[in-house]
Amino acid sequence: MAPPAPPWEELRELFRQALELPEDEWPTFLDSVPKTDGLRAELRSLLEAHRRSDGFLEPTAEAASSPFPGPRQDSTAGAARGHPPHRGTDPLEGRVLGTYRLVYRLESGGMGSVYLAVRADDEYQQRVAVKILREGRISDELIARFRNERQILAALDHPLVAKLLDGGTTREGLPYLVMEYIEGEPIDEYCARRQLSLGQRIDLFRKVCSAVQFAHQNLVIHRDLKPANILITADGTPKLLDFGIAKLLNPELFAASPDATSKVRLLTPTYASPEQILGHPVSTAADVYSLGVVLYLLLTGRSPYTSTAESPTKLARWITSVKVLKPSERVLQDSREASEALPSTDTRSIQRRPVTARRRRISRKLRGDLDAIALKALAKEPRHRYASVEALSDDLGRAADHYPVQARPANPLYRCARFLRRNRLATTLATGFVVAILGFSLLMALQRSELIRERDRAEQVKTLLMDLFQVSDPLLTSADQLSARDILDEGERRLRSRQTLEPETRAELLDTLGVIYLRLGELERANEILSSSLRIRIAQSGERSLETARTLNFLAEARLEEGKFEQAIPHLEKALAIRRRELGPTSLQVGETLNDLAKAMHYGGDLEAAERRYREALEIRETALSGSHPEIAETLNNLAIALWQQGKSAQAEPLHRRALDMRRRLLGAEHIEVSESLNNLAALLAGLGRYEEAQTHYEQALSLRRQILGPSHPRVGNTQNNLGGVLLARGDIEVADQHYRQALEVYRASFGETHPRTARVLCNLGRVREQARDFPQAERLYRGAISTFRQTLPPAHPDLAWCLCQLAGVLIAEQDFASAEPLAQEALSILEQKLPADHWRLAEAQSLVGVCRAARGEREAAEPLLTQSVKILAAKPTHEAQSRARVAEAFLGPAQPAAEGEH
């Protein structure tokens, strides 16, 4: 059983008394505290946590949801540390702010206090953390910084970032924000208490990296990354907290951003980068450094600085100038107290061997790649660190899979060693020895040239970015506010004009610009930029490099958006082959390319091949991402569409609902990917004839997409097009016509006249005119759509067959059976290749051919087609299927009583 928890009031009073003493008197004070009830141990833990987290320049901005260190409970139950209440000592306790009642104060920090709060309206139960600016410290700068945190959190929507739920101002004029309440442990304590292995620690750390990378992609630098701001919940999910001192790279995100040159520097010195300590401007490289400190701590159980308890001046000198020991060496120098924080190994071995043997074992595992990765992240100069958090995470993944890492010179000897490590059984020792001897002769020259290239590349990026962000300097530009698009366009212009930029750097920046333009829907520009990047990649790295594969994937995505599936598929197949060879068959990057390749096959009409690829991608993603992740939801969504379009609605619906639930849970109810799931689930429901339910989902998706993307984005047009179909099926022809025409306007503006999406809307408008009995206008619209499909789609595409059926149906209504039959026969030939025998679309084509043959008097040839199609179509609950069934039944005539009796 776990020891009883120490009395809180006594522990808090002892903690307060200790903080009033000089730090060198803490050991004596601790000796005077009784050991009973774990009081001394808990007090020592509190003081150690205080020593690690307190700053020497200014108090840090404490995390809104960070737990105050509390009593250690039974670790086998996975319990998190508690939060000691301060009941009866705070006048704000019990106050109602908005819909939340403050229960008690959890903690106080440099900017304010954090309270545990609950819903005050009893609508439902919810615990939240409320952060309020401290009244005694109000200043214009701190209010601006507090609002900065609120705006940053509102802009960051990620499953691993603590969510902002609400915000406002108290009646005293103090700003507050309401955040998700996180119960968890700091990442270092979580790893130590559970004795996680080295691999488990790295996996957990890489999840943290994904959250920080997300912040960077949204132009936010955290600037205070430390274990106290990285909590791990009971189920092992990391949560990134406290953006109170974060820096915005985007000047447009809000108007009152705190001045980057402020004299008040809020930071945690033992996790701050050298440039933060020196007061220099910071970039994303500062977060890379702080993550490097956290990684070092997780690998070794100790800080990279061996004198953290010394004076502030000495600590600053260590951080800015003293060389950091390799983790493998630091492990061997650790004191005996550090052993509990080290990565676990086989517990049976620990019982038999002394601690020193365990440290030697861990040191061997750290030596080489992990040493190099940690030291690269902790480089004193920002230009010598990883270019991004993503690059740091990727290197850890490559090290785990025994692939060469960026942090070490990519010389032949090293590559050979990695290859041998990955292929022990397939490679003989003699072959490895020969390769090693041949590679050693190039070692020194390659190592030197690689260092020079890295230095020059970082310097070029720095110069370009400094020039670019001068665009927003009010001393250098007009007073008019620049938009993000203006800065983006200027960045492209300067990038193309900078002739001295290193090719690899130019390609990297072109990739970034191309993807941004792609997300904005500017496809022609995105294709031009990404094609330029691909030419550079191939010239510099070769056709089989990972860099080339990455750009191929981006370019294929742009081709898909353009509707050029036949161009996207070869790009993706090349990228897939490269990534499988370089990263192994189960890499997440392989899963990404498989998902995109399936999508290209899907859009190209090869539904069975698409389904196989989606299932491969789903298996990789579910294995690597522990069963719940936005990437898993993406593949579930795509697979469900492919299944539905093959007539497998019973399999598709639960996948759609699982993807929708996962996205809502991970991303929030108002995320763009939630609108995608709503839209696609609605399409399936409409196909099942559940029109009212489908209309509700479409309207929710349309509202979300308009709110997030504006009225002119292609995704808005997509939902309007789909909603028009449901309204048409329900008989609301006028409103359906309005939605179709608005979708057509959006698609023409985004894709032009000759795009498959534009053609699909034309075909839908033809259905409107057909239902209104305006057959000449319907025929004209169908023929226009078919002309575009023939120009842009493969010759045997289901969308072409669908529109051919529509035109044949109009011609039959006009009694022009001779013109209708070849169109219906072409559609039938296509759908027989693509769809199962019981699919209603195939039955529709059969019925049209049968009607044409019956009209020509060929009853024996028509009867099997009509009988089969009526059986399938009449069972389909959709308006369109049953309309076709009624026409087919009319041509069966009185000789078919059995068919009549089935309905």
Side-chain angles (χ1 to χ4, degrees):
M1 294 181 55
W8 274 116
E9 295 298 329
E10 184 178 0
L11 177 61
R12 187 166 63 247
E13 178 59 24
L14 289 170
F15 181 62
R16 184 192 62 77
Q17 293 176 18
L19 293 183
E20 293 176 354
L21 299 172
E23 199 168 304
D24 58 2
E25 294 182 20
W26 287 357
T28 303
F29 182 80
L30 280 168
D31 289 341
S32 68
V33 175
K35 293 183 178 180
T36 57
D37 294 332
L39 198 59
R40 184 187 298 182
E42 278 302 321
L43 181 58
R44 178 182 288 107
S45 175
L46 289 176
L47 292 174
E48 181 58 27
H50 179 79
R51 177 188 288 120
R52 290 199 310 267
S53 62
D54 276 2
F56 64 84
L57 298 175
E58 286 287 333
T60 61
E62 295 297 326
S65 317
S66 177
F68 191 93
R72 291 189 183 274
Q73 301 175 17
D74 184 1
S75 61
T76 62
R81 287 194 172 197
H83 300 255
H86 300 267
R87 293 186 177 88
T89 63
D90 193 310
L92 289 179
E93 291 177 3
R95 171 84 70 87
V96 174
L97 299 180
T99 57
Y100 300 97
R101 176 180 291 108
L102 305 184
V103 179
Y104 57 80
R105 178 161 49 90
L106 294 172
E107 59 181 294
S108 294
M111 291 173 64
S113 297
V114 181
Y115 294 82
L116 175 68
V118 296
R119 293 281 301 194
D121 54 12
D122 295 326
E123 287 290 325
Y124 55 89
Q125 293 184 350
Q126 182 185 26
R127 291 196 300 171
V128 298
V130 178
K131 185 172 183 177
I132 307 176
L133 187 63
R134 184 183 298 173
E135 187 171 9
R137 297 201 52 156
I138 291 181
S139 68
D140 290 343
E141 180 176 356
L142 284 178
I143 289 176
R145 190 175 295 281
F146 195 88
R147 287 174 176 161
N148 175 18
E149 178 177 9
R150 188 163 62 191
Q151 183 61 51
I152 289 171
L153 288 170
L156 294 180
D157 186 2
H158 190 276
L160 304 186
V161 175
K163 290 180 174 58
L164 176 70
L165 303 176
D166 200 354
T169 306
T170 68
R171 59 173 175 255
E172 294 86 4
L174 303 175
Y176 70 86
L177 53 86
V178 182
M179 294 183 59
E180 176 185 7
Y181 179 75
I182 307 297
E183 286 197 68
E185 296 176 272
I187 187 170
D188 58 333
E189 297 181 18
Y190 180 89
C191 293
R193 284 162 64 95
R194 288 159 179 77
Q195 283 288 288
L196 296 190
S197 68
L198 193 61
Q200 291 171 323
R201 293 175 184 230
I202 290 173
D203 288 344
L204 191 61
F205 179 80
R206 293 188 68 195
K207 292 180 181 179
V208 175
C209 287
S210 70
V212 178
Q213 179 65 19
F214 174 81
H216 289 179
Q217 289 171 340
N218 285 270
L219 305 182
V220 175
I221 309 172
H222 192 285
R223 298 204 296 182
D224 195 27
L225 292 167
K226 58 185 178 182
N229 287 338
I230 306 169
L231 296 189
I232 313 300
T233 62
D235 65 358
T237 301
K239 287 282 187 175
L240 187 59
L241 312 176
D242 201 348
F243 282 82
I245 65 169
K247 177 182 179 182
L248 292 173
L249 294 175
N250 183 357
E252 293 181 327
L253 190 54
F254 70 106
S257 178
D259 185 358
T261 62
S262 167
K263 293 180 181 178
V264 178
R265 286 189 287 152
L266 302 178
L267 50 81
T268 305
T270 51
Y271 293 91
S273 65
E275 58 266 29
Q276 289 177 277
I277 296 294
L278 297 172
H280 294 166
V282 299
S283 66
T284 54
D287 281 354
V288 172
Y289 186 93
S290 299
L291 284 172
V293 180
V294 174
L295 175 63
Y296 197 103
L297 179 64
L298 298 183
L299 297 179
T300 67
R302 306 294 285 175
S303 165
Y305 315 116
T306 57
S307 300
T308 53
E310 299 286 346
S311 69
T313 303
K314 187 169 183 180
L315 178 57
R317 187 168 64 251
W318 267 92
I319 294 172
T320 57
S321 59
V322 176
K323 182 179 179 181
V324 175
L325 277 177
K326 294 178 181 178
S328 60
E329 298 174 359
R330 184 78 166 102
V331 166
L332 297 176
Q333 289 192 353
D334 279 341
S335 66
R336 180 172 295 272
E337 294 173 0
S339 62
E340 292 184 1
L342 291 173
S344 70
T345 55
D346 186 346
T347 53
R348 292 168 299 178
S349 300
I350 293 174
Q351 293 170 359
R352 294 196 307 267
R353 300 179 183 179
V355 172
T356 53
R358 180 184 172 199
R359 290 199 197 117
R360 290 193 197 99
R361 210 163 41 247
I362 294 172
S363 177
R364 285 195 298 271
K365 292 183 178 181
L366 298 178
R367 197 174 302 139
D369 285 350
L370 293 176
D371 273 346
I373 290 170
L375 295 184
K376 184 175 177 66
L378 291 170
K380 307 297 183 186
E381 292 289 336
R383 61 194 177 92
H384 292 151
R385 295 175 207 149
Y386 285 99
S388 67
V389 174
E390 183 180 28
L392 167 59
S393 177
D394 285 349
D395 240 12
L396 287 168
R398 293 175 69 80
D401 293 335
H402 308 295
Y403 283 89
V405 300
Q406 293 181 31
R408 299 181 70 179
N411 57 72
L413 179 59
Y414 172 58
R415 285 184 178 276
C416 172
R418 296 294 86 191
F419 176 83
L420 293 174
R421 182 67 177 83
R422 293 195 307 274
N423 301 277
R424 289 180 178 178
L425 298 179
T427 309
T428 64
L429 181 61
T431 303
F433 179 75
V434 171
V435 173
I437 293 298
L438 291 175
F440 186 75
S441 62
L442 299 173
L443 176 61
M444 297 306 295
L446 290 174
Q447 189 174 17
R448 178 175 176 78
S449 63
E450 182 65 22
L451 290 173
I452 293 172
R453 280 198 300 272
E454 288 292 334
R455 180 198 65 195
D456 292 344
R457 184 179 304 147
E459 192 62 37
Q460 288 172 333
V461 172
K462 175 183 174 183
T463 302
L464 180 68
L465 292 179
M466 288 178 65
D467 289 347
L468 174 58
F469 282 102
Q470 283 183 346
V471 174
S472 59
D473 190 338
L475 299 179
L476 301 177
T477 62
S478 65
D480 295 335
Q481 187 178 15
L482 290 166
S483 69
R485 183 73 62 87
D486 292 331
I487 296 178
L488 189 63
D489 292 345
E490 178 64 14
E492 183 192 355
R493 188 190 68 77
R494 295 191 182 193
L495 178 58
R496 292 189 179 280
S497 64
R498 189 66 59 85
Q499 299 301 319
T500 59
L501 202 62
E502 188 182 49
E504 290 90 342
T505 305
R506 185 185 300 277
E508 193 71 26
L509 293 171
L510 284 171
D511 277 351
T512 301
L513 284 170
V515 170
I516 293 173
Y517 279 120
L518 177 60
R519 300 293 181 263
L520 292 172
E522 296 195 12
L523 304 181
E524 185 176 349
R525 209 163 187 180
N527 267 297
E528 179 187 351
I529 292 171
L530 291 169
S531 296
S532 297
S533 174
L534 182 60
R535 288 192 292 270
I536 296 171
R537 294 291 197 199
I538 293 173
Q540 295 298 315
S541 306
E543 293 189 351
R544 304 176 67 185
S545 68
L546 283 171
E547 293 79 11
T548 298
R550 183 167 179 262
T551 304
L552 280 168
N553 227 89
F554 290 146
L555 186 56
E557 187 178 351
R559 297 292 193 221
L560 280 178
E561 287 298 314
E562 284 187 308
K564 298 178 179 177
F565 322 120
E566 72 286 352
Q567 296 181 23
I569 290 175
H571 289 331
L572 290 165
E573 287 175 338
K574 289 179 183 176
L576 180 63
I578 294 168
R579 286 179 163 178
R580 276 178 167 162
R581 184 182 65 251
E582 294 294 324
L583 302 175
T586 60
S587 161
L588 275 175
Q589 291 185 40
V590 170
E592 175 193 30
T593 306
L594 278 169
N595 182 79
D596 292 344
L597 178 58
K599 194 186 304 181
M601 293 172 168
H602 190 164
Y603 289 174
D606 194 345
L607 298 177
E608 290 186 358
E611 179 186 345
R612 289 194 299 272
R613 293 298 193 182
Y614 281 139
R615 292 191 185 279
E616 289 180 57
L618 183 62
E619 182 179 359
I620 291 172
R621 286 179 163 182
E622 286 188 321
T623 301
L625 299 172
S626 303
S628 183
H629 192 277
E631 290 181 12
I632 296 174
E634 176 193 18
T635 306
L636 285 170
N637 171 79
N638 296 344
L639 175 58
I641 298 171
L643 290 169
W644 166 62
Q645 290 178 348
Q646 293 177 79
K648 303 174 183 177
S649 300
Q651 297 180 45
E653 184 173 354
L655 296 183
H656 268 315
R657 295 195 181 279
R658 182 182 165 199
L660 176 59
D661 291 345
M662 192 180 296
R663 283 172 162 172
R664 279 175 168 161
R665 185 175 69 254
L666 297 175
L667 305 173
E670 296 185 352
H671 194 278
I672 189 62
E673 291 183 15
V674 171
S675 76
E676 180 183 28
S677 282
L678 285 168
N679 180 85
N680 295 334
L681 177 57
L684 181 143
L685 295 170
L688 295 174
R690 292 151 64 180
Y691 296 124
E692 184 176 354
E693 191 178 353
Q695 182 174 341
T696 299
H697 282 78
Y698 275 142
E699 288 171 346
Q700 291 175 359
L702 182 59
S703 176
L704 263 179
R705 289 182 166 186
R706 280 174 169 163
Q707 174 187 336
I708 298 170
L709 302 172
S712 303
H713 195 278
R715 290 194 182 188
V716 174
N718 173 260
T719 304
Q720 286 188 293
N721 178 55
N722 295 341
L723 179 57
V726 170
L727 293 167
L728 185 62
R730 302 189 75 183
D732 197 344
I733 297 177
E734 290 186 5
V735 181
D737 185 71
Q738 291 173 11
H739 280 291
Y740 281 143
R741 292 190 182 279
Q742 289 170 4
L744 182 62
E745 183 179 343
V746 170
Y747 281 170
R748 278 173 169 164
S750 299
F751 306 119
E753 290 285 351
T754 56
H755 191 281
R757 294 191 185 183
T758 307
R760 289 187 194 105
V761 184
L762 286 175
C763 205
N764 285 331
L765 283 168
R767 292 170 60 223
V768 172
R769 302 323 311 153
E770 180 181 357
Q771 197 158 321
R773 311 298 292 178
D774 183 359
F775 296 133
Q777 180 67 357
E779 181 181 342
R780 186 185 67 81
L781 289 165
Y782 288 146
R783 290 192 185 279
I786 289 170
S787 175
T788 298
F789 283 146
R790 291 196 190 280
Q791 293 176 50
T792 58
L793 295 178
H797 197 283
D799 283 359
L800 172 61
W802 167 65
C803 202
L804 287 168
C805 286
Q806 301 300 123
L807 178 55
V810 167
L811 293 173
I812 288 172
E814 294 179 309
Q815 303 295 304
D816 188 356
F817 300 103
S819 299
E821 185 171 358
L823 300 172
Q825 185 62 59
E826 182 183 357
L828 179 58
S829 299
I830 293 172
L831 295 175
E832 283 177 335
Q833 302 175 45
K834 299 294 184 181
L835 299 177
D838 60 348
H839 197 285
W840 79 275
R841 285 290 186 195
L842 178 58
E844 176 186 31
Q846 289 173 333
S847 75
L848 293 168
V849 173
V851 165
C852 292
R853 290 179 179 176
R856 287 195 288 109
E858 298 180 4
R859 185 172 183 84
E860 289 188 5
E863 187 174 322
L865 292 171
L866 292 171
T867 303
Q868 174 69 9
S869 64
V870 166
K871 180 179 178 181
I872 295 171
L873 291 170
K876 183 71 176 175
T878 62
H879 171 81
E880 188 174 359
Q882 293 189 357
S883 296
R884 299 292 190 204
R886 286 192 292 272
V887 174
E889 279 183 316
F891 278 85
L892 275 172
Q896 298 297 323
E900 289 290 330
E902 291 176 358
H903 306 295

